Amino acid sequence: MSRYVCIHGHFYQPPRENAWLGAVEVQDSAHPYHDWNQRITAECYAPNASSRILDRNERIVELVNNYSRISFNFGPTLLVWLERHEPETYRAILDGDRESRRRFSGHGSALAQVYSHPILPLCNERDRRTQVAWGLRDFEQRFGRPAEGMWLPETAVDLASLETLAEHGVRFSILAPSQAALIRRRGEREYGEIGEDGFDTTRPYRLNLASGRTIDLFFYHGGISRAVAFEQLLGRGEELARRLVEPLQQPADHARLVHIATDGESYGHHHRFGDMALAYALHAIEEQGLAKITNYGEYLERHPPEDEVRIHERTSWSCAHGVERWRGDCGCASEYRQGWHQAWRAPLRDALDRLRDAVTPRFEQAAADYFDDPWGARDAYVERLLDATDDAAHDFLARHATGANDDADRTRALELMELQRNLLLMYTSCGWFFEDVSRIEGIQILQYAARAAELAERCFERPFEAPFLELLESAPSNVMEFGNARRLYESKVLPARVDAAKLGAAHAASLLFDDETAAPPQVHFSVEQEEQVRDAAGEAKLAVGRLRVVSRLTHESEDLTFGFAHLGDHNLSGGIRPFRGESDYREAGDELQRCFGAADYPETVRLLDRLFPGTRFSLKTLLVDTRRRILSTILGSTLRDAQDVHRRLYRQHASLMRFLGGLDVPSPEALRATAELVLNGGIREALESAELDTLRVRRLLDEMLGASIPLHEDDLGFAARDAVLRAMRRLERSPEDCAALDRLETAVRLVRDLPFDVVLAQTENSFFRLVSERIDPLRERATQGDAQAEAWLRRVRELGAALHVAVD
């Protein structure tokens, strides 16, 4: 076979974790999901792990792991999140690479990625080395093998970056065709210009580096890649397959590889069901013998480069001006807005560079007291990131921080490493990619800068934040609310800052509501409850106690005392302070309990003010997710009261609204708003009930459609999807229970009758797997006259039709 096809997906999200907390806080723009990582996982990363191939009747006939058949890379920081929050998808990604090794002659399809996605040509030499070393070590730890290839963020390239890759043992990388400058064919002495017709991207090329090393480069097919990303080519898998093999139709005297590269999110997030188009195209190419599906490692082994290339330095795949998108006002942005500029980009990068450069000499001086080789220790710190246990921290310090002799020294040594980690993360490329610094990506890199400045001030006892803020004043925002990056920092970054008191306050406030989900996520910190006393009188509640907050990154700890009171509705007040001894703690706690027990709530609040001066917290100042969950609890009873009022009002006037509808007379807006609230809420309650109330759903739905009341499709769609999935999980627990099959079929038919589309992909895939595992033995039992098996098969066929699964 001399015709090959390879598809590369660059799967990446910028780090989204709060720089202090280590957890992603709620992102309203991702609604109805908690955050963008969660949303894109549901739309892209998970579907590609179980992508469906359909028959002519659009029924599922096969589930495939796309990661086993394509070339791909995942951002290391995204894999950290997936491992923690979406372990099934994370395992499927690793399984895909293992399966690809069996499929592609021992060559895994996964490529490494530079760690935090900086633009390498804009990094200094030291940062470039660490970013590459961290990316490769993270890859090896997760995938269980060294990486053959490495993805360059935004394919931004220069010779120094390729030297660093080659020095670290990377064999190849992938670039855009526009990044090739000169070609030298085998046997030719001189490099030749690339003409208007371009050059042959179906071959790999070798780049000779000044060090004497070499690296091989693949230049993807620009036209097909562009069509996948921007021109709806993923609308049909057949068309994608046709376009991929089309360049291979002409005869040639050498092996040819048609390969494309796009953001992996094209396959499901940017283009709905793009994962299925991808799966079908690969299936069709293989089944019809149109080409051999391969990956870059296998292709290089079989067809090493014969020709050589030179590149255009400081270029990328997503900026027509080289790498100006990440340092200048070049006009490139994800969204064009009349009158907007990107004049903020250069001052933002300058401010970050100056912060880093101000820290560097002081870091070298201070770190020399603890580390034999401070920069070598930074390169090795990735081991600590891969294993957050105390044992791993002690091992790291034992090997690299021989000058750390006591707990205070060890904490300082770890703080210096955390300072460097945040200095690296603040260069994540997405901070410059979009149209304004005020987007969540810009705020994110400013958080890392703030955390770095905070640690630098702690370690070196001199100001870093103040001069940094002065520099940010020169970075103008297009959004009038902010004006410049300094005001953005002060309004969006500083409130996100987390310390031991803020974590302890979130934990203490959650105690008032018996809600563990409202407690702060314990990623970078742990909160250990040492003692608590709670009291309640009607809606009023009090919590008093002691806790310890421990940094899992630096091992520093702080003992705190707290007192919090909830006096109904949004009236939450409390304080937290360092533990000052047992007698002080007992005295304060007893005083608060006596005051609260006497139902003197105004005095309770005044007492909290006196006992915790300067460390007071209210709902406004709690961690975002804690505040949201507590508000949800508080609003729950309020909303139930309001819904009861609206239900009574609706029942009073429902017949009048129907009468008006029969006369084609619109109901008054107040009555329509009441009906909208009551009927949507009623449908959601019925969908979320432990036993799905299908009759109630259908009755309320008929009322809404008859009166032309708008449906809350996003919220109801989520509830409907989860109702079906709950029925599927019950069937999985008792797979031969015909009653469980009936419940699932009832739920599916109800959802299929809704006047809007509900994606049941997770249920459909689960049902396909269950049937695939069970049908052969049950079919055998049915042929032997087993009535229960016959009934099971009958119901499964009926349900398969509703779930678009090919049962037979």
Side-chain angles (χ1 to χ4, degrees):
M1 174 67 76
S2 62
R3 296 175 299 177
Y4 297 84
V5 166
C6 177
I7 295 173
H8 183 83
H10 164 52
F11 295 92
Y12 168 74
Q13 290 299 301
R16 302 185 185 280
E17 288 79 4
N18 176 294
W20 293 268
L21 198 59
V24 181
E25 296 182 295
V26 64
Q27 295 176 316
D28 291 328
S29 57
H31 181 79
Y33 295 88
H34 176 269
D35 55 70
W36 280 103
N37 283 358
Q38 190 182 82
R39 177 168 181 165
I40 296 171
T41 298
E43 294 173 348
C44 176
Y45 307 141
N48 275 286
S50 298
S51 194
R52 286 90 64 80
I53 294 177
L54 308 182
D55 63 12
R56 294 177 182 176
N57 298 315
E58 298 193 347
R59 299 177 305 174
I60 303 171
V61 293
E62 187 177 355
L63 291 178
V64 296
N65 185 338
N66 282 342
Y67 301 117
S68 71
R69 308 168 82 197
I70 65 171
S71 172
F72 67 91
N73 71 277
F74 267 84
T77 55
L78 175 57
L79 288 175
V80 170
W81 184 90
L82 286 167
E83 183 180 21
R84 184 175 296 134
H85 297 282
E86 298 286 345
E88 186 176 339
T89 299
Y90 175 76
R91 287 192 297 270
I93 293 165
L94 304 187
D95 289 344
D97 180 69
R98 279 191 288 270
E99 186 179 336
S100 73
R101 281 180 255 173
R102 293 189 291 271
R103 183 184 294 269
F104 300 128
S105 310
H107 296 274
S109 287
L111 275 61
Q113 181 201 285
V114 178
Y115 190 79
S116 68
H117 210 269
I119 300 303
L120 276 194
L122 300 182
C123 291
N124 64 26
E125 180 183 359
R126 201 177 276 125
D127 287 357
R128 183 172 62 245
R129 293 179 63 84
T130 301
Q131 289 276 6
V132 170
W134 282 17
L136 290 171
R137 181 65 189 103
D138 184 277
F139 179 93
E140 185 172 9
Q141 175 70 19
R142 295 182 188 282
F143 289 92
R145 63 178 179 86
E148 292 186 79
M150 190 169 216
W151 179 263
L152 293 170
E154 305 295 338
T155 74
V157 69
D158 62 358
L159 291 175
S161 299
L162 294 177
E163 282 277 16
T164 304
L165 265 61
E167 180 186 349
H168 284 79
V170 175
R171 291 184 58 203
F172 68 86
S173 191
I174 307 164
L175 298 179
S178 61
Q179 295 178 276
L182 301 169
I183 300 291
R184 181 164 68 184
R185 304 292 182 193
R186 183 178 59 175
E188 295 180 355
R189 299 186 60 184
E190 302 295 329
Y191 284 86
E193 297 279 348
I194 295 173
E196 292 184 3
D197 294 336
F199 67 106
D200 187 359
T201 61
T202 66
R203 302 170 180 261
Y205 294 86
R206 180 151 292 166
L207 179 70
N208 298 307
L209 296 163
S211 63
R213 301 184 183 92
T214 64
I215 190 168
D216 296 335
L217 297 173
F218 291 89
F219 296 89
Y220 62 76
H221 192 293
I224 305 175
S225 299
R226 187 165 50 252
V228 166
F230 305 114
E231 298 170 8
Q232 308 301 317
L233 182 55
L234 295 178
R236 289 186 62 82
E238 298 93 331
E239 181 61 14
L240 175 60
R242 186 190 69 79
R243 287 289 300 275
L244 286 168
V245 300
E246 190 174 51
L248 300 172
Q249 301 308 308
Q250 298 300 320
D253 59 358
H254 64 277
R256 289 171 297 166
L257 172 69
V258 173
H259 59 107
I260 63 173
T262 67
D263 286 339
E265 291 76 19
S266 296
Y267 303 106
H269 172 56
H270 298 310
H271 303 288
R272 190 179 183 190
F273 302 127
D275 66 293
M276 294 173 62
L278 171 63
Y280 186 86
L282 295 170
H283 174 80
I285 290 170
E286 285 188 321
E287 287 292 305
Q288 298 170 33
L290 303 176
K292 182 186 185 312
I293 303 300
T294 189
N295 66 17
Y296 292 112
E298 181 185 59
Y299 191 83
L300 269 183
E301 180 185 321
R302 296 185 178 188
H303 306 285
E306 298 178 346
D307 301 336
E308 298 171 9
V309 68
R310 289 179 177 169
I311 60 165
H312 292 296
E313 291 199 75
R314 294 205 162 200
T315 57
S316 67
W317 76 345
S318 50
C319 179
H321 314 91
V323 293
E324 294 307 300
R325 187 169 192 157
W326 299 276
R327 66 177 181 181
D329 188 5
C330 68
C332 290
S334 61
E335 179 182 348
Y336 174 75
R337 297 195 184 189
Q338 184 71 34
W340 279 35
H341 60 77
Q342 286 78 50
W344 51 271
R345 284 175 174 160
L348 175 62
R349 183 167 289 277
D350 179 62
L352 297 177
D353 286 347
R354 291 197 189 192
L355 173 62
R356 177 199 62 199
D357 294 343
V359 165
T360 296
R362 290 164 182 82
F363 165 78
E364 290 178 327
Q365 182 180 2
D369 292 339
Y370 308 104
F371 298 101
D372 299 329
D373 176 5
W375 296 112
R378 185 180 79 163
D379 288 348
Y381 190 61
V382 66
E383 302 292 346
R384 173 80 179 100
L385 304 181
L386 288 165
D387 185 348
T389 63
D390 289 347
D391 287 345
H394 293 144
D395 183 57
F396 169 79
L397 291 169
R399 282 194 283 169
H400 300 283
T402 56
N405 299 314
D406 55 27
D407 287 346
D409 284 352
R410 286 186 280 273
T411 290
R412 179 51 51 87
L414 291 171
E415 285 177 336
L416 289 167
M417 290 295 104
E418 276 300 296
L419 165 60
Q420 287 296 326
R421 183 178 71 86
N422 281 278
L423 288 172
L424 291 168
L425 288 171
M426 73 186 187
Y427 285 106
T428 300
S429 69
C430 295
W432 288 267
F433 188 85
F434 297 98
E435 61 275 5
D436 195 68
V437 65
S438 63
R439 280 184 55 117
I440 57 176
E441 297 84 3
I443 294 169
Q444 186 70 39
I445 64 170
L446 287 174
Q447 276 197 21
Y448 292 126
R451 178 60 174 153
E454 179 183 73
L455 286 166
E457 291 184 356
R458 184 183 305 170
C459 292
F460 311 135
E461 297 182 347
R462 57 163 292 151
F464 287 90
E465 186 177 51
F468 178 65
L469 288 175
E470 290 181 11
L471 293 169
L472 289 182
E473 291 178 8
S474 301
S477 170
N478 293 288
V479 179
M480 292 183 62
E481 175 189 352
F482 303 116
N484 60 50
R486 175 177 183 149
R487 286 167 56 190
L488 174 70
Y489 181 101
E490 291 169 341
S491 62
K492 295 293 184 181
V493 175
L494 291 183
R497 181 171 280 165
V498 178
D499 57 13
K502 199 167 186 177
L503 278 161
H507 178 87
S510 68
L511 294 174
L512 293 169
F513 300 91
D514 294 313
D515 185 358
E516 292 183 1
T517 65
Q522 304 202 15
V523 182
H524 284 175
F525 296 87
S526 64
V527 180
E528 301 166 4
Q529 181 70 55
E530 297 192 344
E531 185 177 343
Q532 60 167 298
V533 177
R534 288 189 276 179
D535 197 0
E539 290 187 349
K541 301 173 185 176
L542 176 73
V544 179
R546 289 176 50 195
L547 52 79
R548 169 174 290 184
V549 177
V550 181
S551 169
R552 290 178 166 171
L553 297 176
T554 65
H555 294 179
E556 60 187 327
S557 64
E558 191 167 349
D559 291 314
L560 300 166
T561 301
F562 65 83
F564 269 80
H566 177 230
L567 304 176
D569 290 337
H570 61 286
N571 299 304
L572 184 143
S573 183
I576 195 161
R577 70 186 190 192
F579 177 67
R580 301 172 184 168
E582 191 68 26
S583 61
D584 176 79
Y585 164 65
R586 296 292 174 199
E587 182 180 337
D590 291 345
E591 194 172 356
L592 274 171
Q593 290 174 70
R594 280 196 303 272
C595 190
F596 182 83
D600 190 348
Y601 302 140
E603 181 59 28
T604 301
V605 174
R606 285 191 289 270
L607 185 56
L608 286 168
D609 286 336
R610 181 168 62 81
L611 292 172
F612 301 98
T615 56
R616 294 293 311 286
F617 287 89
S618 67
L619 272 174
K620 287 184 178 180
T621 52
L622 291 176
L623 295 175
V624 174
D625 280 70
T626 298
R627 179 168 67 240
R628 291 289 182 91
R629 292 190 176 106
I630 289 176
L631 280 171
S632 178
T633 301
I634 292 171
L635 288 171
S637 59
T638 303
L639 287 176
R640 283 191 292 274
D641 292 343
Q643 286 167 350
D644 288 342
V645 172
H646 281 284
R647 284 192 191 98
R648 289 195 297 271
L649 184 62
Y650 177 71
R651 283 196 294 268
Q652 266 183 289
H653 301 291
S655 59
L656 173 60
M657 292 181 68
R658 285 192 287 269
F659 176 74
L660 292 174
L663 298 176
D664 291 330
V665 175
S667 297
E669 188 59 36
L671 292 181
R672 288 181 58 80
T674 294
E676 182 177 343
L677 175 66
V678 170
L679 296 176
N680 276 289
I683 292 176
R684 182 169 188 132
E685 284 179 8
L687 289 169
E688 292 178 343
S689 61
E691 290 295 334
L692 179 61
D693 192 342
T694 57
L695 292 177
R696 187 182 177 202
V697 172
R698 292 186 185 279
R699 177 177 58 79
L700 294 175
L701 191 61
D702 287 343
E703 285 190 50
M704 295 189 74
L705 297 176
S708 299
I709 302 298
L711 287 156
H712 298 169
E713 294 185 7
D714 281 351
D715 290 340
L716 295 181
F718 250 60
R721 182 200 66 181
D722 289 348
V724 175
L725 191 56
R726 284 197 306 275
M728 182 67 227
R729 295 294 176 247
R730 291 175 72 171
L731 177 61
E732 287 174 331
R733 290 193 292 270
S734 304
E736 295 184 24
D737 182 358
C738 288
L741 278 168
D742 289 341
R743 279 192 294 268
L744 177 58
E745 183 176 9
T746 298
V748 170
R749 295 202 181 281
L750 171 68
V751 171
R752 294 296 190 209
D753 288 342
L754 294 175
F756 53 85
D757 186 31
V758 178
V759 177
L760 298 180
Q762 198 171 353
T763 294
E764 292 165 353
N765 290 357
S766 296
F767 185 74
F768 179 88
R769 293 191 191 96
L770 183 144
V771 172
S772 299
E773 293 168 0
R774 297 273 172 174
I775 195 164
D776 285 342
L778 279 156
R779 188 183 283 129
E780 178 65 25
R781 283 165 48 189
T783 60
Q784 297 172 5
D786 187 326
Q788 185 176 353
E790 290 175 354
W792 188 90
L793 286 170
R794 185 170 58 254
R795 286 175 169 82
V796 161
R797 291 189 183 101
E798 294 169 354
L799 189 49
L803 287 171
H804 310 307
V805 170
V807 172
D808 293 319

